[in-house]
């Protein structure tokens, strides 16, 4: 009888150890995958470039457009290259980077608009470029691996396109009425 109780106690202790180990280790296993989904779409060099142009809005906006265009080019290439291993995951990654960069661009546009920074020069180049982004997002065939990410990216592309066109008109009007403010940079995003 004593032997049976001793075995049950050891079994119960073992269960608690497994539960405790799972409780401690599970978050550690999940954390890397969660952090990867929230990963900054810019590499260290790109981050440094963006920081460098914080007080020069036209250059900074053009830099974001350049980084977005790089992702658009990658999406276009991945769409046509069926030999790429893990193509669905690669496309999803590039589409998600595109969306995060477009969101950053929109945040910068909002900040510069609030500060009445003169960004007409950048908008003149950006508006026609933005019209090319959405069609590229439609190139990859339907795939559950990235369809949700693609829809989010399409909505982001439409939103920034509309915002930029409206902002371009608003900027033209504002600086026509405030000629002394033309060419001002604002303080820039932090």
């Amino acid at each position: 009888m004593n032997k049976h109780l001793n075995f049950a106690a050891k079994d119960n202790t073992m269960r608690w150890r497994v539960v405790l180990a799972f409780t401690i280790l599970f978050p550690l296993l999940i954390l890397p995958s969660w952090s990867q989904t929230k990963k900054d779409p810019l590499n260290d060099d790109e981050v440094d470039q963006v920081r460098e142009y914080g007080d020069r809005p036209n250059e900074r906006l053009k830099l974001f457009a350049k980084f977005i265009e790089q992702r658009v080019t990658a999406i276009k290439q991945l769409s046509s290259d069926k030999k790429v291993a893990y193509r669905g995951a690669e496309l999803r990654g590039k589409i998600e980077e595109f969306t995060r960069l477009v969101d950053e661009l929109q945040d910068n546009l909002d900040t510069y608009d609030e500060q009445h920074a003169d960004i007409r020069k950048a908008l003149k180049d950006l508006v026609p470029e933005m019209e090319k982004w959405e069609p590229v997002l439609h190139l990859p065939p339907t795939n559950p691996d990235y369809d949700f990410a693609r829809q989010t990216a399409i909505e982001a592309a439409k939103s920034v396109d509309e915002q930029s066109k409206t902002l371009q008109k608003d900027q033209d009007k504002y600086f026509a009425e405030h000629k002394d403010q033309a060419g001002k940079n604002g303080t820039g995003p932090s």
Side-chain angles (χ1 to χ4, degrees):
M1 180 88 171
N2 204 10
K3 205 180 214 187
H4 180 63
L5 287 174
N6 206 9
F7 180 75
K10 285 182 182 178
D11 190 42
N12 202 16
T13 303
M14 185 62 133
R15 283 187 196 148
W16 279 108
R17 286 182 181 164
V18 169
V19 168
L20 182 61
F22 182 79
T23 305
I24 292 171
L25 294 176
F26 185 73
L28 296 175
L29 295 172
I30 296 297
L31 189 59
S33 66
W34 180 79
S35 65
Q36 287 174 351
T37 61
K38 303 295 181 192
K39 184 181 169 210
D40 189 340
L42 299 175
N43 63 40
D44 291 339
D45 181 49
E46 292 169 334
V47 169
D48 289 342
Q49 291 176 53
V50 168
R51 282 191 190 126
E52 182 180 332
Y53 289 113
D55 62 342
R56 291 176 273 173
N58 286 297
E59 288 84 1
R60 185 175 173 134
L61 295 173
K62 288 178 183 179
L63 201 55
F64 272 108
K66 173 185 159 190
F67 298 148
I68 292 168
E69 187 58 37
Q70 290 170 348
R71 279 34 175 219
V72 167
T73 300
I75 293 167
K76 201 182 301 184
Q77 290 171 345
L78 285 167
S79 297
S80 61
D81 189 355
K82 293 174 181 25
K83 295 177 185 175
V84 174
Y86 308 109
R87 189 174 98 155
E90 289 288 325
L91 273 165
R92 184 183 63 242
K94 291 301 175 189
I95 291 168
E96 288 172 348
E97 285 180 20
F98 169 88
T99 303
R100 288 192 300 273
L101 285 168
V102 167
D103 289 344
E104 280 294 319
L105 176 62
Q106 279 193 289
D107 290 346
N108 278 262
L109 289 170
D110 288 339
T111 300
Y112 289 130
D113 182 39
E114 290 169 8
Q115 298 172 356
H116 296 293
D118 188 352
I119 55 174
R120 293 177 291 173
K121 185 185 273 185
L123 289 171
K124 181 182 174 197
D125 296 334
L126 275 172
V127 169
E129 286 302 309
M130 289 177 188
E131 293 173 358
K132 299 175 187 174
W133 296 345
E134 185 186 346
V136 172
L137 296 170
H138 290 285
L139 290 177
T142 301
N143 186 320
D145 288 344
Y146 52 78
D147 282 343
F148 179 77
R150 177 196 353 228
Q151 190 56 41
T152 304
I154 289 169
E155 290 169 13
K158 286 179 183 178
S159 177
V160 76
D161 185 42
E162 291 169 13
Q163 177 189 13
S164 297
K165 288 175 181 173
T166 301
L167 186 54
Q168 191 174 34
K169 291 174 188 171
D170 293 348
Q171 287 254 313
D172 288 340
K173 182 181 176 190
Y174 178 83
F175 289 109
E177 295 170 0
H178 301 89
K179 294 183 190 305
D180 61 319
Q181 297 291 312
K184 302 264 175 155
N185 288 335
T187 56
S190 53

Short mmCIF file of all heavy atoms in Angstrom, two decimals, residues 59-110:
data_model
loop_
_atom_site.label_atom_id
_atom_site.label_comp_id
_atom_site.label_asym_id
_atom_site.label_seq_id
_atom_site.Cartn_x
_atom_site.Cartn_y
_atom_site.Cartn_z
N GLU A 59 13.08 65.07 -48.47
CA GLU A 59 14.03 63.98 -48.64
C GLU A 59 13.58 62.74 -47.87
O GLU A 59 13.71 61.61 -48.35
CB GLU A 59 15.44 64.40 -48.20
CG GLU A 59 16.10 65.38 -49.15
CD GLU A 59 15.70 66.84 -48.90
OE1 GLU A 59 14.90 67.12 -47.96
OE2 GLU A 59 16.17 67.71 -49.64
N ARG A 60 13.05 62.98 -46.67
CA ARG A 60 12.60 61.84 -45.85
C ARG A 60 11.44 61.11 -46.53
O ARG A 60 11.40 59.88 -46.58
CB ARG A 60 12.21 62.32 -44.47
CG ARG A 60 11.83 61.20 -43.52
CD ARG A 60 11.58 61.76 -42.13
NE ARG A 60 11.08 60.75 -41.23
CZ ARG A 60 11.52 60.55 -40.01
NH1 ARG A 60 12.50 61.29 -39.54
NH2 ARG A 60 10.99 59.63 -39.24
N LEU A 61 10.49 61.84 -47.05
CA LEU A 61 9.35 61.23 -47.73
C LEU A 61 9.80 60.47 -48.98
O LEU A 61 9.31 59.38 -49.26
CB LEU A 61 8.30 62.28 -48.07
CG LEU A 61 7.63 62.94 -46.87
CD1 LEU A 61 6.72 64.08 -47.32
CD2 LEU A 61 6.86 61.92 -46.04
N LYS A 62 10.76 61.04 -49.70
CA LYS A 62 11.29 60.35 -50.88
C LYS A 62 12.01 59.06 -50.49
O LYS A 62 11.98 58.06 -51.21
CB LYS A 62 12.22 61.28 -51.67
CG LYS A 62 11.47 62.37 -52.39
CD LYS A 62 12.42 63.30 -53.12
CE LYS A 62 11.67 64.45 -53.77
NZ LYS A 62 12.57 65.37 -54.47
N LEU A 63 12.66 59.09 -49.33
CA LEU A 63 13.34 57.91 -48.82
C LEU A 63 12.34 56.80 -48.52
O LEU A 63 12.55 55.64 -48.89
CB LEU A 63 14.13 58.29 -47.57
CG LEU A 63 15.27 57.41 -47.13
CD1 LEU A 63 16.28 57.22 -48.26
CD2 LEU A 63 15.95 58.02 -45.92
N PHE A 64 11.23 57.16 -47.87
CA PHE A 64 10.18 56.16 -47.61
C PHE A 64 9.65 55.61 -48.93
O PHE A 64 9.42 54.40 -49.06
CB PHE A 64 9.04 56.75 -46.78
CG PHE A 64 9.27 56.65 -45.31
CD1 PHE A 64 9.57 57.76 -44.56
CD2 PHE A 64 9.18 55.42 -44.66
CE1 PHE A 64 9.79 57.67 -43.20
CE2 PHE A 64 9.39 55.32 -43.29
CZ PHE A 64 9.70 56.47 -42.56
N ALA A 65 9.45 56.48 -49.90
CA ALA A 65 8.97 56.03 -51.21
C ALA A 65 9.96 55.05 -51.84
O ALA A 65 9.57 54.05 -52.44
CB ALA A 65 8.74 57.21 -52.12
N LYS A 66 11.24 55.31 -51.68
CA LYS A 66 12.28 54.42 -52.22
C LYS A 66 12.21 53.05 -51.55
O LYS A 66 12.26 52.02 -52.23
CB LYS A 66 13.66 55.05 -51.98
CG LYS A 66 14.83 54.17 -52.33
CD LYS A 66 16.13 54.85 -51.94
CE LYS A 66 17.24 53.84 -51.78
NZ LYS A 66 18.45 54.42 -51.20
N PHE A 67 12.07 53.04 -50.22
CA PHE A 67 12.00 51.77 -49.50
C PHE A 67 10.72 51.01 -49.87
O PHE A 67 10.74 49.78 -50.01
CB PHE A 67 12.07 51.99 -48.00
CG PHE A 67 13.36 52.64 -47.54
CD1 PHE A 67 13.36 53.49 -46.44
CD2 PHE A 67 14.55 52.40 -48.19
CE1 PHE A 67 14.53 54.08 -46.01
CE2 PHE A 67 15.73 53.00 -47.76
CZ PHE A 67 15.73 53.84 -46.66
N ILE A 68 9.63 51.72 -50.03
CA ILE A 68 8.38 51.07 -50.44
C ILE A 68 8.52 50.51 -51.85
O ILE A 68 8.10 49.38 -52.12
CB ILE A 68 7.20 52.07 -50.35
CG1 ILE A 68 6.92 52.41 -48.88
CG2 ILE A 68 5.95 51.50 -51.03
CD1 ILE A 68 5.97 53.58 -48.67
N GLU A 69 9.15 51.26 -52.72
CA GLU A 69 9.35 50.80 -54.10
C GLU A 69 10.20 49.53 -54.13
O GLU A 69 9.96 48.64 -54.94
CB GLU A 69 10.00 51.91 -54.94
CG GLU A 69 10.08 51.58 -56.41
CD GLU A 69 8.73 51.30 -57.06
OE1 GLU A 69 7.73 51.95 -56.69
OE2 GLU A 69 8.68 50.41 -57.93
N GLN A 70 11.17 49.42 -53.23
CA GLN A 70 11.98 48.20 -53.15
C GLN A 70 11.11 47.00 -52.79
O GLN A 70 11.28 45.91 -53.35
CB GLN A 70 13.10 48.37 -52.12
CG GLN A 70 14.18 49.33 -52.54
CD GLN A 70 15.15 49.67 -51.42
OE1 GLN A 70 14.92 49.36 -50.24
NE2 GLN A 70 16.24 50.34 -51.77
N ARG A 71 10.16 47.20 -51.87
CA ARG A 71 9.26 46.11 -51.50
C ARG A 71 8.31 45.79 -52.64
O ARG A 71 8.00 44.62 -52.90
CB ARG A 71 8.45 46.47 -50.24
CG ARG A 71 9.15 46.30 -48.90
CD ARG A 71 10.60 46.56 -48.87
NE ARG A 71 11.22 46.49 -47.55
CZ ARG A 71 12.17 47.32 -47.17
NH1 ARG A 71 12.61 48.29 -47.97
NH2 ARG A 71 12.72 47.18 -45.98
N VAL A 72 7.85 46.80 -53.36
CA VAL A 72 6.96 46.60 -54.51
C VAL A 72 7.69 45.78 -55.58
O VAL A 72 7.13 44.85 -56.15
CB VAL A 72 6.47 47.96 -55.07
CG1 VAL A 72 5.81 47.80 -56.42
CG2 VAL A 72 5.51 48.61 -54.08
N THR A 73 8.94 46.11 -55.82
CA THR A 73 9.75 45.37 -56.79
C THR A 73 9.91 43.91 -56.36
O THR A 73 9.78 42.99 -57.18
CB THR A 73 11.13 46.03 -56.97
OG1 THR A 73 10.93 47.37 -57.45
CG2 THR A 73 12.01 45.27 -57.93
N ALA A 74 10.15 43.69 -55.07
CA ALA A 74 10.29 42.32 -54.56
C ALA A 74 8.98 41.55 -54.71
O ALA A 74 8.99 40.37 -55.08
CB ALA A 74 10.72 42.36 -53.09
N ILE A 75 7.86 42.20 -54.43
CA ILE A 75 6.55 41.55 -54.59
C ILE A 75 6.32 41.17 -56.05
O ILE A 75 5.87 40.07 -56.36
CB ILE A 75 5.42 42.46 -54.07
CG1 ILE A 75 5.52 42.61 -52.55
CG2 ILE A 75 4.04 41.93 -54.47
CD1 ILE A 75 4.67 43.73 -51.97
N LYS A 76 6.67 42.08 -56.94
CA LYS A 76 6.52 41.83 -58.38
C LYS A 76 7.37 40.62 -58.80
O LYS A 76 6.90 39.75 -59.52
CB LYS A 76 6.96 43.08 -59.15
CG LYS A 76 6.42 43.18 -60.55
CD LYS A 76 6.92 44.41 -61.29
CE LYS A 76 6.58 45.71 -60.61
NZ LYS A 76 7.00 46.90 -61.37
N GLN A 77 8.61 40.56 -58.34
CA GLN A 77 9.50 39.46 -58.69
C GLN A 77 9.01 38.13 -58.11
O GLN A 77 9.00 37.11 -58.79
CB GLN A 77 10.92 39.75 -58.21
CG GLN A 77 11.60 40.85 -59.00
CD GLN A 77 12.92 41.29 -58.38
OE1 GLN A 77 13.22 40.99 -57.23
NE2 GLN A 77 13.70 42.03 -59.14
N LEU A 78 8.60 38.15 -56.84
CA LEU A 78 8.12 36.93 -56.21
C LEU A 78 6.82 36.44 -56.86
O LEU A 78 6.56 35.24 -56.90
CB LEU A 78 7.89 37.15 -54.71
CG LEU A 78 9.14 37.22 -53.85
CD1 LEU A 78 8.80 37.77 -52.46
CD2 LEU A 78 9.78 35.84 -53.74
N SER A 79 6.02 37.37 -57.37
CA SER A 79 4.76 36.99 -58.01
C SER A 79 4.97 36.16 -59.25
O SER A 79 4.18 35.27 -59.57
CB SER A 79 3.96 38.25 -58.38
OG SER A 79 3.61 38.95 -57.24
N SER A 80 6.05 36.45 -59.96
CA SER A 80 6.28 35.75 -61.23
C SER A 80 7.25 34.56 -61.10
O SER A 80 7.28 33.71 -61.96
CB SER A 80 6.81 36.73 -62.27
OG SER A 80 8.05 37.27 -61.85
N ASP A 81 8.01 34.50 -60.02
CA ASP A 81 9.00 33.43 -59.85
C ASP A 81 8.40 32.30 -59.01
O ASP A 81 8.40 32.35 -57.79
CB ASP A 81 10.25 33.98 -59.19
CG ASP A 81 11.39 32.98 -59.19
OD1 ASP A 81 11.18 31.82 -59.61
OD2 ASP A 81 12.50 33.36 -58.77
N LYS A 82 7.94 31.27 -59.68
CA LYS A 82 7.28 30.16 -59.01
C LYS A 82 8.28 29.16 -58.41
O LYS A 82 7.90 28.23 -57.72
CB LYS A 82 6.33 29.45 -59.97
CG LYS A 82 5.17 30.34 -60.37
CD LYS A 82 4.32 29.69 -61.42
CE LYS A 82 3.16 30.48 -61.90
NZ LYS A 82 3.15 31.88 -61.82
N LYS A 83 9.57 29.37 -58.67
CA LYS A 83 10.59 28.45 -58.18
C LYS A 83 11.09 28.80 -56.78
O LYS A 83 11.82 28.04 -56.18
CB LYS A 83 11.77 28.44 -59.14
CG LYS A 83 11.42 27.89 -60.50
CD LYS A 83 12.60 27.95 -61.44
CE LYS A 83 12.18 27.52 -62.84
NZ LYS A 83 13.25 27.68 -63.80
N VAL A 84 10.70 29.95 -56.26
CA VAL A 84 11.17 30.39 -54.95
C VAL A 84 10.60 29.48 -53.86
O VAL A 84 9.39 29.25 -53.80
CB VAL A 84 10.75 31.86 -54.67
CG1 VAL A 84 11.10 32.28 -53.26
CG2 VAL A 84 11.38 32.80 -55.67
N ALA A 85 11.50 28.96 -53.02
CA ALA A 85 11.06 28.15 -51.89
C ALA A 85 10.31 29.03 -50.91
O ALA A 85 10.68 30.19 -50.69
CB ALA A 85 12.27 27.51 -51.21
N TYR A 86 9.25 28.52 -50.35
CA TYR A 86 8.44 29.24 -49.36
C TYR A 86 7.92 30.56 -49.94
O TYR A 86 7.91 31.59 -49.27
CB TYR A 86 9.22 29.49 -48.08
CG TYR A 86 9.84 28.25 -47.51
CD1 TYR A 86 11.22 28.06 -47.56
CD2 TYR A 86 9.05 27.26 -46.95
CE1 TYR A 86 11.80 26.91 -47.06
CE2 TYR A 86 9.62 26.10 -46.44
CZ TYR A 86 11.00 25.93 -46.50
OH TYR A 86 11.55 24.79 -46.00
N ARG A 87 7.51 30.53 -51.19
CA ARG A 87 7.05 31.74 -51.88
C ARG A 87 5.91 32.43 -51.14
O ARG A 87 5.89 33.65 -51.02
CB ARG A 87 6.65 31.41 -53.31
CG ARG A 87 6.37 32.64 -54.14
CD ARG A 87 6.13 32.24 -55.55
NE ARG A 87 4.70 32.18 -55.75
CZ ARG A 87 4.10 32.32 -56.91
NH1 ARG A 87 4.82 32.47 -57.99
NH2 ARG A 87 2.82 32.27 -57.02
N GLY A 88 4.95 31.68 -50.65
CA GLY A 88 3.82 32.26 -49.93
C GLY A 88 4.27 33.05 -48.71
O GLY A 88 3.82 34.17 -48.46
N ALA A 89 5.18 32.47 -47.95
CA ALA A 89 5.71 33.15 -46.76
C ALA A 89 6.53 34.37 -47.15
O ALA A 89 6.45 35.42 -46.48
CB ALA A 89 6.54 32.18 -45.93
N GLU A 90 7.32 34.24 -48.20
CA GLU A 90 8.13 35.38 -48.67
C GLU A 90 7.23 36.52 -49.13
O GLU A 90 7.48 37.68 -48.80
CB GLU A 90 9.06 34.95 -49.82
CG GLU A 90 10.20 34.06 -49.39
CD GLU A 90 11.26 34.80 -48.60
OE1 GLU A 90 11.53 35.99 -48.88
OE2 GLU A 90 11.82 34.19 -47.68
N LEU A 91 6.20 36.18 -49.89
CA LEU A 91 5.27 37.22 -50.34
C LEU A 91 4.57 37.87 -49.16
O LEU A 91 4.45 39.10 -49.11
CB LEU A 91 4.24 36.62 -51.31
CG LEU A 91 4.66 36.58 -52.76
CD1 LEU A 91 3.76 35.66 -53.57
CD2 LEU A 91 4.65 37.98 -53.36
N ARG A 92 4.12 37.08 -48.23
CA ARG A 92 3.45 37.64 -47.06
C ARG A 92 4.39 38.60 -46.33
O ARG A 92 4.01 39.70 -45.94
CB ARG A 92 2.97 36.55 -46.10
CG ARG A 92 2.18 37.13 -44.92
CD ARG A 92 1.75 36.10 -43.91
NE ARG A 92 2.91 35.48 -43.29
CZ ARG A 92 3.22 34.19 -43.36
NH1 ARG A 92 2.44 33.35 -44.02
NH2 ARG A 92 4.30 33.71 -42.78
N GLY A 93 5.64 38.20 -46.16
CA GLY A 93 6.62 39.06 -45.49
C GLY A 93 6.82 40.39 -46.21
O GLY A 93 6.82 41.45 -45.57
N LYS A 94 6.98 40.34 -47.52
CA LYS A 94 7.18 41.58 -48.28
C LYS A 94 5.92 42.45 -48.29
O LYS A 94 5.99 43.67 -48.21
CB LYS A 94 7.62 41.28 -49.72
CG LYS A 94 8.99 40.68 -49.82
CD LYS A 94 10.04 41.61 -49.23
CE LYS A 94 11.41 40.97 -49.22
NZ LYS A 94 12.39 41.74 -48.47
N ILE A 95 4.77 41.80 -48.36
CA ILE A 95 3.50 42.55 -48.33
C ILE A 95 3.33 43.22 -46.97
O ILE A 95 2.91 44.39 -46.89
CB ILE A 95 2.31 41.62 -48.68
CG1 ILE A 95 2.38 41.22 -50.16
CG2 ILE A 95 0.99 42.30 -48.36
CD1 ILE A 95 1.43 40.09 -50.55
N GLU A 96 3.66 42.51 -45.90
CA GLU A 96 3.55 43.10 -44.56
C GLU A 96 4.55 44.24 -44.38
O GLU A 96 4.23 45.26 -43.76
CB GLU A 96 3.73 42.03 -43.49
CG GLU A 96 2.55 41.09 -43.41
CD GLU A 96 2.77 39.90 -42.49
OE1 GLU A 96 3.93 39.64 -42.06
OE2 GLU A 96 1.78 39.20 -42.19
N GLU A 97 5.75 44.09 -44.92
CA GLU A 97 6.72 45.19 -44.87
C GLU A 97 6.18 46.39 -45.63
O GLU A 97 6.31 47.54 -45.17
CB GLU A 97 8.06 44.75 -45.48
CG GLU A 97 8.87 43.84 -44.61
CD GLU A 97 10.18 43.43 -45.26
OE1 GLU A 97 10.65 44.11 -46.20
OE2 GLU A 97 10.75 42.42 -44.82
N PHE A 98 5.62 46.15 -46.79
CA PHE A 98 5.02 47.22 -47.58
C PHE A 98 3.99 47.97 -46.75
O PHE A 98 4.01 49.21 -46.68
CB PHE A 98 4.36 46.64 -48.85
CG PHE A 98 3.50 47.61 -49.59
CD1 PHE A 98 4.04 48.44 -50.56
CD2 PHE A 98 2.14 47.73 -49.30
CE1 PHE A 98 3.23 49.35 -51.25
CE2 PHE A 98 1.33 48.62 -49.98
CZ PHE A 98 1.88 49.45 -50.95
N THR A 99 3.10 47.24 -46.09
CA THR A 99 2.03 47.86 -45.31
C THR A 99 2.60 48.69 -44.16
O THR A 99 2.17 49.82 -43.93
CB THR A 99 1.07 46.79 -44.75
OG1 THR A 99 0.54 46.03 -45.85
CG2 THR A 99 -0.07 47.41 -43.97
N ARG A 100 3.58 48.15 -43.44
CA ARG A 100 4.17 48.90 -42.33
C ARG A 100 4.88 50.16 -42.82
O ARG A 100 4.81 51.21 -42.19
CB ARG A 100 5.11 48.00 -41.53
CG ARG A 100 4.34 46.97 -40.69
CD ARG A 100 5.22 46.26 -39.67
NE ARG A 100 6.34 45.53 -40.22
CZ ARG A 100 6.28 44.26 -40.63
NH1 ARG A 100 5.16 43.59 -40.56
NH2 ARG A 100 7.37 43.67 -41.09
N LEU A 101 5.54 50.06 -43.97
CA LEU A 101 6.21 51.24 -44.52
C LEU A 101 5.20 52.29 -44.98
O LEU A 101 5.41 53.49 -44.78
CB LEU A 101 7.13 50.84 -45.68
CG LEU A 101 8.43 50.17 -45.27
CD1 LEU A 101 9.12 49.56 -46.48
CD2 LEU A 101 9.34 51.14 -44.56
N VAL A 102 4.11 51.85 -45.58
CA VAL A 102 3.06 52.78 -46.00
C VAL A 102 2.45 53.46 -44.77
O VAL A 102 2.20 54.66 -44.78
CB VAL A 102 1.98 52.07 -46.85
CG1 VAL A 102 0.74 52.93 -47.01
CG2 VAL A 102 2.55 51.72 -48.22
N ASP A 103 2.26 52.69 -43.70
CA ASP A 103 1.75 53.28 -42.45
C ASP A 103 2.72 54.33 -41.91
O ASP A 103 2.30 55.40 -41.44
CB ASP A 103 1.51 52.20 -41.40
CG ASP A 103 0.32 51.30 -41.71
OD1 ASP A 103 -0.51 51.68 -42.58
OD2 ASP A 103 0.22 50.22 -41.10
N GLU A 104 4.01 54.03 -41.96
CA GLU A 104 5.03 55.00 -41.52
C GLU A 104 5.00 56.25 -42.39
O GLU A 104 5.11 57.37 -41.89
CB GLU A 104 6.43 54.37 -41.57
CG GLU A 104 6.75 53.50 -40.40
CD GLU A 104 6.85 54.27 -39.09
OE1 GLU A 104 7.42 55.38 -39.06
OE2 GLU A 104 6.35 53.75 -38.09
N LEU A 105 4.86 56.05 -43.68
CA LEU A 105 4.77 57.17 -44.61
C LEU A 105 3.57 58.04 -44.25
O LEU A 105 3.67 59.27 -44.19
CB LEU A 105 4.68 56.68 -46.05
CG LEU A 105 4.48 57.75 -47.12
CD1 LEU A 105 5.64 58.73 -47.16
CD2 LEU A 105 4.29 57.09 -48.49
N GLN A 106 2.43 57.40 -44.00
CA GLN A 106 1.23 58.16 -43.63
C GLN A 106 1.43 58.92 -42.33
O GLN A 106 1.01 60.08 -42.22
CB GLN A 106 0.02 57.24 -43.50
CG GLN A 106 -0.58 56.91 -44.84
CD GLN A 106 -1.96 56.28 -44.70
OE1 GLN A 106 -2.06 55.14 -44.27
NE2 GLN A 106 -2.98 57.01 -45.08
N ASP A 107 2.07 58.30 -41.36
CA ASP A 107 2.35 58.99 -40.09
C ASP A 107 3.22 60.22 -40.34
O ASP A 107 3.00 61.29 -39.76
CB ASP A 107 3.04 58.06 -39.10
CG ASP A 107 2.13 56.97 -38.57
OD1 ASP A 107 0.90 57.06 -38.74
OD2 ASP A 107 2.67 55.99 -37.98
N ASN A 108 4.21 60.08 -41.20
CA ASN A 108 5.08 61.21 -41.52
C ASN A 108 4.30 62.30 -42.25
O ASN A 108 4.47 63.49 -41.96
CB ASN A 108 6.27 60.74 -42.37
CG ASN A 108 7.38 60.16 -41.53
OD1 ASN A 108 8.34 60.84 -41.22
ND2 ASN A 108 7.24 58.90 -41.14
N LEU A 109 3.45 61.91 -43.18
CA LEU A 109 2.63 62.89 -43.88
C LEU A 109 1.74 63.66 -42.91
O LEU A 109 1.62 64.89 -42.99
CB LEU A 109 1.77 62.22 -44.96
CG LEU A 109 2.50 61.69 -46.19
CD1 LEU A 109 1.57 60.83 -47.04
CD2 LEU A 109 3.09 62.83 -47.01
N ASP A 110 1.14 62.93 -41.97
CA ASP A 110 0.30 63.58 -40.95
C ASP A 110 1.11 64.58 -40.13
O ASP A 110 0.67 65.70 -39.89
CB ASP A 110 -0.32 62.54 -40.01
CG ASP A 110 -1.41 61.72 -40.66
OD1 ASP A 110 -1.99 62.17 -41.68
OD2 ASP A 110 -1.70 60.61 -40.16
#
